[in-house]
């Protein structure tokens, strides 16, 4: 998490900033549950959230300043101090690193005379890293002022440096910088569907709400976000839950490193996503829906708004949808601001309400007490697509696809060491080896299934099949060939979890940092067998005492790589039973310099 | 029946405030039954200067200078079980508040630029241990077997911990003996 000292900003609000603030606040009707959206929009215009703006917003929303500061400091992409006119963030997923992102970042820092994480003295720019931006199939990637740039090369970096130096507005940068490819290599049920807009919805309207729930239940559809909860049961529970309002929320906070299928679905199949949400609304009796879009996908906002507008004009959204009297439903898009934890459903709802994205205690689950404590059906982007298809096809036809416990198809985001990274859609039950063959991977050493919180498997397990019976997955499929050091892979993931821990519970806040320190100690060649045992102890604490799934899965990358690639760790260990965590004699260097001493007493041996 | 051999315990305070030792003394009259079971080696209680082979070592305070490292190593070498006691030993504690300051500017300010210092100089007598650039918890320098948290841990916590250990049980400080405030 980002913790910035809040210093009084020298910047007072100019008349044009003031009118902008009033405009943003007016647009959100001074509603404090829209705080995150308000802050994000203010920052989009001003580059950061100046102190004076904090006061102004606090007064307008009638909330204390510290609530605004607390929310702003929670999200990586919100800043209470200027981070420069151009904020450059390199995506730091392992797949970006494998494509050379670290060298590119060093080069850019050199070119612009800058240290990573610091704002240049003229206030022009800052360069840093951010968690996976979901461009793993076309990395290395970066965000400049939250806009995605793909396929970085030395030349592109140089050009970007030049554009920044010339203060060229982002809108005037070459359009191909921002071009995001879909890279669909294998289409199936979803990506190959030829339904007309509204076709599934029409089928749903003929069925009616109760029958929709029944079809989804019988189809065997399970949530595609990773946990695999039966969608029909969720919709039924939400439908039966009592409340003043019911809500439908689509989780498009695709933050798991290595996953980018939702990005492609929202680009290519936005109508299907919204159709699934509308069908869900019909089933649970909701009038309002939200799409929670991760901040990294800000560039999709205009496109998605356009699709929503078209659907309203075609009476697929709005009042009396498709002529069905009383069937009113509309969808609003909320943007995230760089917090992995908001992919957890209850944290997402907190964020949707304009709060810090801290997971709630569960139960109660969102189906009974979700958004504004009302019954909420919250599903993954892909789940809504699958649901729309299942309703259109009928339960029997749909459940014939895939395996008995994992029906339908699954979109797989393939990245890493293979010639054809991108999106592959398979019926459930496909083997890892089959996917490796299709993407052209050779000499594969390991595959990380479902991202850092998932499972790392070695060569002897490539016969295993994707599905809830064997290898459950949210879609990430990162390939590592035999040139890769699996220790460094795990270390990258451990750093990711330490950065993304929301800080709410001690086991996770402290545990993920201790894990990071232990991995760094081993990387520095100071590790011992004792440290490996320590990792296992930490895992026990994290798994048994963390508040949510983030802490519980944070040890997975280390445990799995330790299981399959133990020598990658052992080769780094010192053979001694214990080593200090830091260079003892080096720690005295400053004092030696200050006292001018160099006698025997002014030195420490590494070991006695 | 042969008398059971007493366990030997050594204690020391490194970069600490002796608060944990005060808490040890707070065991009060239970010190008498304790002395039935143990005898003290190097400790502020005995004034023995160097520790010999021991069963249990209790170390208070973090590591802030070269001498702390030597003492800690002496304990590790001689104690079968080494215990970090108190917040400073476990986390660096209060002395580690200097960690966000540069050591050079610390020494400069204290010995050279502070008003009222005339002809000040940074002490450089070889008798004096050099400060490390940062204060570290014990487990970053040697392997530590057990930790007793608290600032200081209560006498009851220390009593429970030691009696468990002496009885051959894995020490468990349950509810009430660990405090988070």
């Amino acid at each position: 998490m980002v913790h910035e000292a809040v210093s009084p900003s020298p910047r007072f609000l100019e008349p044009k900033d003031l009118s902008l603030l009033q405009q943003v606040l007016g647009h959100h009707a001074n509603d404090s549950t829209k705080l995150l959206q308000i802050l994000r929009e203010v920052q989009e215009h001003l580059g950061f959230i100046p102190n004076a703006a904090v006061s102004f917003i606090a007064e307008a929303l009638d909330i204390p300043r510290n609530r605004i500061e607390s929310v702003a400091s929670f999200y990586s992409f919100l800043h209470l101090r200027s981070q420069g006119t151009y904020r450059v963030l390199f995506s730091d997923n392992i797949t970006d690193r494998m494509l050379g992102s670290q060298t590119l970042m060093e080069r850019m820092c050199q070119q612009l005379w800058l240290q990573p994480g610091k704002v240049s003295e003229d206030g022009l720019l800052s360069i840093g890293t951010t968690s996976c931006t979901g461009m793993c199939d076309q990395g290395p990637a970066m965000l400049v002022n939250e806009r995605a740039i793909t396929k970085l090369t030395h030349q592109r970096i140089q050009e970007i440096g030049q554009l920044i130096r010339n203060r060229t507005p982002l809108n005037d940068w070459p359009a191909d910088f921002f071009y995001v490819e879909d890279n669909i290599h294998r289409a199936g049920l979803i990506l190959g569907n030829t339904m007309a807009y509204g076709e599934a919805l029409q089928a749903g309207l003929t069925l009616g709400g109760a029958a929709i729930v029944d079809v989804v239940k019988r189809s065997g559809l399970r949530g595609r976000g990773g946990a695999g909860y039966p969608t029909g049961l969720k919709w039924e529970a939400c439908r039966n839950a009592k409340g003043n309002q019911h809500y439908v929320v689509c989780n498009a906070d695709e933050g798991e490193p290595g996953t980018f299928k939702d990005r492609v679905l929202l680009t290519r199949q936005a109508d299907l996503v919204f159709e699934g949400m509308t069908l869900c609304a019909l089933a649970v009796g909701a009038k309002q829906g939200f799409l929670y879009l991760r901040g990294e996908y800000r560039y999709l906002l205009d496109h998605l708004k356009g699709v929503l507008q078209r659907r309203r004009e075609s009476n697929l959204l709005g009042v009396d949808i498709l002529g069905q009297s009383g069937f009113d439903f509309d969808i609003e898009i909320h943007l995230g601001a760089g917090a992995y934890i908001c992919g957890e459903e209850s944290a997402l709802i907190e964020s949707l309400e304009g709060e810090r994205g801290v997971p709630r205690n569960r139960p109660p689950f969102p189906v009974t007490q979700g958004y504004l404590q009302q019954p909420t059906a919250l599903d993954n982007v892909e789940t809504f697509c699958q649901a729309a298809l299942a309703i259109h096809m009928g339960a029997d036809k749909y459940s014939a696809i895939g395996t008995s416990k994992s029906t339908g198809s699954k979109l797989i985001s393939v990245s890493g060491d293979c010639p054809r990274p991108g999106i592959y859609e398979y019926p459930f039950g496909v083997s890892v080896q089959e996917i490796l063959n299709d993407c052209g991977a050779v000499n594969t050493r390991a595959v990380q299934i479902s991202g850092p919180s998932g499972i790392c498997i070695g060569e002897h397990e490539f016969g295993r099949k994707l599905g809830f019976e064997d290898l459950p997955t949210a879609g990430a499929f990162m390939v590592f060939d035999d040139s890769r050091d699996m220790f460094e892979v795990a270390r990258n993931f451990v750093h990711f979890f330490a950065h993304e821990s929301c800080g709410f519970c001690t086991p996770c806040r402290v545990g993920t940092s201790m894990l990071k320190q232990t991995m760094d100690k081993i990387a520095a060649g100071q590790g011992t067998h004792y440290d490996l045992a320590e990792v296992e102890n930490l895992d026990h604490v994290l798994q048994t005492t963390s508040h949510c799934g983030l802490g519980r899965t944070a040890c997975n990358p280390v445990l799995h790589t330790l299981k399959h690639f133990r020598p990658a760790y052992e080769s780094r260990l010192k053979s001694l039973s214990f080593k200090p965590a830091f260079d003892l004699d080096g720690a005295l260097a400053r004092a030696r310099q200050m006292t001018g001493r160099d006698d025997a007493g002014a030195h420490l041996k590494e070991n006695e | 029946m042969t008398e059971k051999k007493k366990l030997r315990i050594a204690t020391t305070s490194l970069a600490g405030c002796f608060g944990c030792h005060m808490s040890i003394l707070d065991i009060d009259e239970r010190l008498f039954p304790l002395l039935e079971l143990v005898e003290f080696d190097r400790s502020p209680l005995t004034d023995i200067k160097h520790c010999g082979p021991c069963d249990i070592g209790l170390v208070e305070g973090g590591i802030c200078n070269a001498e702390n490292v030597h003492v800690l190593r002496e304990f590790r070498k001689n104690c079968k079980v080494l215990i970090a006691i108190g917040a400073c030993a476990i986390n660096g504690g209060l002395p580690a508040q200097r960690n966000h300051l540069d050591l050079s500017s610390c020494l400069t300010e204290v010995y050279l630029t502070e008003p009222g210092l005339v002809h000040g100089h940074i002490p450089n007598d070889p008798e004096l241990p050099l400060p490390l650039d940062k204060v570290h918890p014990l487990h970053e320098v040697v392997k530590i077997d057990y930790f007793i948290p608290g600032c200081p841990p209560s006498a009851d916590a220390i009593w429970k911990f030691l009696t468990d250990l002496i009885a051959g049980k894995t020490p468990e400080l349950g509810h009430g003996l660990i405090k988070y405030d």
Side-chain angles (χ1 to χ4, degrees), chain B residues 17 48 104 150-151 167:
Chain B
C17 70
I48 297 172
S104 309
C151 186

Side-chain angles (χ1 to χ4, degrees), chain B residues 100-142:
Chain B
H100 68 280
L101 300 171
D102 177 60
L103 179 64
S104 309
S105 40
C106 264
L107 292 173
T108 308
E109 186 161 336
V110 171
Y111 292 109
L112 302 177
T113 58
E114 183 76 355
L117 287 175
V118 187
H119 308 305
H121 77 285
I122 297 170
N124 58 357
D125 191 307
E127 286 276 298
L128 297 171
L130 287 184
L132 298 166
D133 57 355
K134 298 254 189 289
V135 178
H136 291 266
L138 304 184
H139 65 265
E140 289 188 3
V141 179
V142 300

Side-chain angles (χ1 to χ4, degrees), chain A residues 194-205:
Chain A
T194 50
M195 277 194 299
Y197 302 149
E199 214 177 313
L201 193 52
Q202 192 63 61
L205 275 172

